[in-house]
Amino acid sequence: MTEIPTLTRRGLIVAGSATVAGASAFALAACSPSAEEPDSTASEPAGLQPGTELALLADVPVGGSLGVQVDGSAILLSQPEEGEAMAFSAICRHQGCVVAAAGASFDCPCHGSRYDAATGAVLNGPSTLPLIPIEVTVSDGRVVVA
Ligand code: FES
């Protein structure tokens, strides 16, 4: 006669927990950003306090753009219309390279993504996500964090 192993109630709970833990680890692995996926967790640059000056508006060409470093953060600025300032984190939403100001667009040197300098929207992939905007105002000819 073949002996059938019996499971105690505790054994079933432990076995069930292992399965749940395994499923959770799998789910986490499936949700973790990989080097091939867009960085959808990017956020506004840390450490930029309201009132922080990013640039003089006169240094941002009308219809063009400017890249600056402020408090350790790479920032892109544009002036789509005279007197109107826009600002974005310069961190590419594809894999995190620093995007460069290139006139009416922002160009990523790593894999060729291009963004609209007026809106931060993707013009060319591989990035699928827009640049992270930074709220700014113009005060006394200075572009400052709002
Ligand atoms: Fe790949 Fe910018 S990091 S296109």
Side-chain angles (χ1 to χ4, degrees):
M1 178 186 259
T2 305
E3 191 170 315
I4 300 173
T6 58
L7 285 174
T8 63
R9 181 179 170 166
R10 176 175 160 71
L12 284 171
I13 291 172
V14 169
S17 298
T19 301
V20 169
S24 297
F26 175 78
L28 284 175
C31 293
S32 299
S34 74
E36 299 302 320
E37 295 174 347
D39 181 5
S40 59
T41 60
S43 61
E44 189 169 311
L48 290 180
Q49 301 299 317
T52 301
E53 181 177 328
L54 300 181
L56 295 175
L57 184 62
D59 291 340
V60 184
V62 176
S65 56
L66 174 73
V68 297
Q69 284 278 335
V70 178
D71 296 339
S73 295
I75 309 293
L76 293 167
L77 297 134
S78 65
Q79 189 175 180
E81 303 284 336
E82 187 161 353
E84 178 191 8
M86 302 294 290
F88 305 90
S89 165
I91 303 305
C92 185
R93 300 295 297 281
H94 178 228
Q95 290 182 8
C97 288
V98 176
V99 177
S105 69
F106 300 132
D107 297 354
C108 183
C110 291
H111 310 103
S113 287
R114 294 180 64 237
Y115 300 88
D116 186 317
T119 64
V122 175
L123 296 174
N124 281 58
S127 180
T128 59
L129 299 170
L131 294 175
I132 301 292
I134 300 168
E135 284 194 47
V136 292
T137 61
V138 178
S139 175
D140 296 328
R142 302 172 306 124
V143 182
V144 297
V145 177

